[in-house]
Amino acid sequence: MYRYLWFQLGVNLKRTTAITINGESSSTSSLAPPPAKYFSRIQNQNSRVVTSTFSSFSTTTSDKTKLTSPDSDSEFIVSYLINSCGLSQGKAITVSKKLKFKTTSNPDSVLTLLRAHGFTESHITKLVTKFPFILSFKPDKTLKPRFDFFKSKGFYGIDLANFISNDPTILRRSLNRSVIPSFGILKSIVKSDECVVKIIKRNCWILGPNEVKKVIVNLELLRNEGVPETNIRTGLSSQPRVYTQSANRFKEIVERVKEMRFHHLQTIFLKAIHGLTSMTEANWRKKMDVYKRWGWSEDHIRTAFRKHPHCMAASEKKIMAVMNFLVNEMGYNTLSISEASKVFCYSFKGRINPRCSVVKILVSKGLIQKDFCINSFITIVDKSFLEKFVTKYEQEVPGLMKVFQCQLNYQDLL
């Protein structure tokens, strides 16, 4: 009981302490309990005596005794996180609540191992913030075998550091029961370590046994539908999250794609599956409503989706911005855009705006035909666009390059 009271107080008596109880003085050494007669008094007297005892503990210690604050361990950890791991004070306080250690021996060993494997200070700060429990791992028994395995598969230096620090949940997985067997199964599908590495960079959770089981079931469904094995490998490598859907949901989506008349032998069949798995039915409806505001019918939307399924992956905000720009500023017919729906797959600031601005200027000056198809200049690579639409006309239209580089508004050249 007496030790229990000490625990509740959060007091750690490390040196000899003089304690006064009901006017009597005694000496206790380290954590040794006081004489038995004091146990009797606490047990048999009323709560007033217990309260008096509490007061005596907190006020009558000798000058040589330093009582440990309940928060001293936390302060020690916060200091370590700031000084050794680079965390800010605010983050260190938050992270410290998830850690318990009284010496820096193990955390120091963890940091030494991380640095030896190419982790920079910024990697360490990011990793400890996301996954503070790594400081409690046994470096040689827990971390090094994992790092050695990933290095053997192609993760070196900065790649390994980026991979682990970006998504440290991989460290939660059992190496022998989960990571290694799952890696082997995925390799049997995509045929190379490089492809598996590409997959787990995009979704490290796929190395879990349950996730791999979902992949196996869903890929078997595609094979039964006649989807070519090469398309399956490509689809899994580029969009692994698509194939970790539950079997029932995945089957429903495949049926819906078939109803939309996508052909199973074409790669766009899998792109359509990806487009539908990337959103809920409610989100699908909201995006349809946005397109309808611009005069599209459901047939127009289906046409756009069949041409480029990713047009439905764009956010509602982006759809509005692109449509407003193309229709109200560039002068394109709203319905003709459904035939060029791939435009919604590109960056508005990085590609759509600068390229359309250049074309708008060239059309206004009669240098190219007015009804210039969007796909003919949006989908080509930068080098080709520069050669065909910028450097070719730069002498006739000074400042065209600045418009392409977003350093000048296209309206200034009209």
Side-chain angles (χ1 to χ4, degrees):
M1 176 178 176
Y2 213 97
R3 292 180 181 273
Y4 171 77
L5 295 177
W6 288 357
F7 175 78
Q8 291 288 39
L9 283 169
V11 176
N12 179 15
L13 301 182
K14 295 184 178 179
R15 298 191 181 99
T16 301
T17 306
I19 303 174
T20 303
I21 300 180
N22 287 354
E24 297 183 30
S25 177
S26 68
S27 177
T28 63
S29 177
S30 185
L31 292 179
K37 62 180 180 179
Y38 295 132
F39 279 102
S40 176
R41 291 186 184 184
I42 290 176
Q43 292 172 341
N44 297 327
Q45 293 181 10
N46 58 31
S47 60
R48 180 176 56 80
V49 176
V50 175
T51 302
S52 174
T53 304
F54 283 1
S55 177
S56 297
F57 272 121
S58 61
T59 61
T60 62
T61 58
S62 69
D63 292 337
K64 294 183 180 180
T65 300
K66 183 179 179 181
L67 297 182
T68 305
S69 165
D71 294 329
S72 62
D73 287 349
S74 178
E75 292 171 359
F76 169 71
I77 295 173
V78 168
S79 177
Y80 183 83
L81 293 173
I82 294 172
N83 297 325
S84 297
C85 304
L87 274 66
S88 66
Q89 184 175 8
K91 288 183 178 179
I93 291 172
T94 301
V95 169
S96 69
K97 298 175 182 178
K98 302 176 183 179
L99 293 170
K100 288 184 179 180
F101 56 83
K102 296 182 181 296
T103 71
T104 66
S105 176
N106 194 79
D108 283 346
S109 297
V110 170
L111 298 183
T112 298
L113 180 70
L114 292 175
R115 293 183 179 109
H117 282 80
F119 285 73
T120 64
E121 298 308 311
S122 60
H123 284 126
I124 290 172
T125 300
K126 186 177 182 180
L127 177 56
V128 172
T129 301
K130 285 185 173 184
F131 190 64
F133 307 106
I134 192 172
L135 295 177
S136 301
F137 280 15
K138 299 299 181 185
D140 293 333
K141 292 183 178 180
T142 307
L143 288 177
K144 189 175 183 301
R146 283 170 167 76
F147 291 172
D148 288 345
F149 173 76
F150 287 122
K151 284 176 65 177
S152 72
K153 300 303 180 183
F155 284 102
Y156 295 100
I158 198 71
D159 284 341
L160 177 65
N162 286 335
F163 170 57
I164 299 294
S165 61
N166 285 335
D167 197 347
T169 51
I170 189 68
L171 299 176
R172 295 180 183 273
R173 301 286 186 184
S174 167
L175 181 62
N176 294 319
R177 296 193 303 273
S178 179
V179 174
I180 293 176
S182 298
F183 194 102
I185 291 172
L186 292 173
K187 182 177 179 179
S188 70
I189 299 170
V190 296
K191 305 304 181 185
S192 73
D193 287 346
E194 292 77 12
C195 286
V196 180
V197 167
K198 186 187 296 185
I199 289 171
I200 63 178
K201 279 183 177 179
R202 293 186 168 122
N203 180 16
C204 72
W205 282 101
I206 204 168
L207 290 180
N210 291 334
E211 301 303 297
V212 168
K213 288 177 184 177
K214 292 176 186 177
V215 170
I216 292 172
V217 171
N218 292 334
L219 294 189
E220 189 60 28
L221 173 63
L222 294 179
R223 293 188 184 100
N224 293 337
E225 293 292 338
V227 177
E229 195 67 30
T230 53
N231 291 359
I232 289 175
R233 286 199 293 268
T234 301
L236 178 60
S237 297
S238 60
Q239 298 293 343
R241 292 182 187 276
V242 172
Y243 305 95
T244 57
Q245 306 287 319
S246 69
N248 289 337
R249 173 166 165 73
F250 191 80
K251 185 175 182 180
E252 289 174 1
I253 290 173
V254 169
E255 291 301 320
R256 189 172 174 185
V257 168
K258 289 164 61 179
E259 290 172 3
M260 293 179 176
R261 302 197 301 276
F262 286 93
H263 199 283
H264 64 275
L265 294 178
Q266 298 176 337
T267 57
I268 201 169
F269 185 86
L270 296 182
K271 291 180 180 178
I273 292 175
H274 172 236
L276 291 176
T277 55
S278 67
M279 73 195 82
T280 63
E281 182 64 27
N283 285 336
W284 173 272
R285 290 292 172 189
K286 288 178 181 178
K287 292 175 183 181
M288 286 187 68
D289 289 341
V290 174
Y291 282 120
K292 287 179 179 179
R293 290 182 208 171
W294 291 94
W296 289 19
S297 67
E298 292 201 7
D299 284 340
H300 288 116
I301 296 171
R302 280 192 290 268
T303 297
F305 185 74
R306 277 198 296 270
K307 286 183 175 292
H308 296 287
H310 288 168
C311 70
M312 292 299 284
S315 68
E316 297 162 56
K317 182 178 179 180
K318 181 178 180 179
I319 294 171
M320 284 295 294
V322 172
M323 290 296 284
N324 180 65
F325 180 74
L326 294 178
V327 175
N328 295 330
E329 292 198 45
M330 296 295 107
Y332 283 99
N333 181 285
T334 181
L335 299 182
S336 69
I337 299 172
S338 65
E339 298 290 334
S341 55
K342 192 173 183 179
V343 68
F344 296 97
C345 303
Y346 296 113
S347 165
F348 178 73
K349 291 183 178 180
R351 179 173 290 213
I352 299 171
N353 190 317
R355 292 194 181 192
C356 285
S357 296
V358 167
V359 170
K360 177 76 170 179
I361 293 168
L362 297 179
V363 169
S364 71
K365 296 186 178 297
L367 296 172
I368 60 175
Q369 60 184 0
K370 182 178 181 180
D371 298 325
F372 212 76
C373 176
I374 300 175
N375 279 341
S376 63
F377 64 85
I378 283 290
T379 58
I380 61 176
V381 298
D382 275 346
K383 183 180 179 181
S384 296
F385 182 86
L386 281 168
E387 291 174 353
K388 292 181 179 180
F389 298 100
V390 181
T391 55
K392 182 178 179 179
Y393 299 103
E394 203 170 5
Q395 290 185 343
E396 297 175 72
V397 188
L400 198 59
M401 178 63 77
K402 289 186 176 181
V403 172
F404 178 71
Q405 295 172 340
C406 299
Q407 297 175 359
L408 185 67
N409 192 301
Y410 77 94
Q411 292 178 338
D412 294 336
L413 296 184
L414 292 179

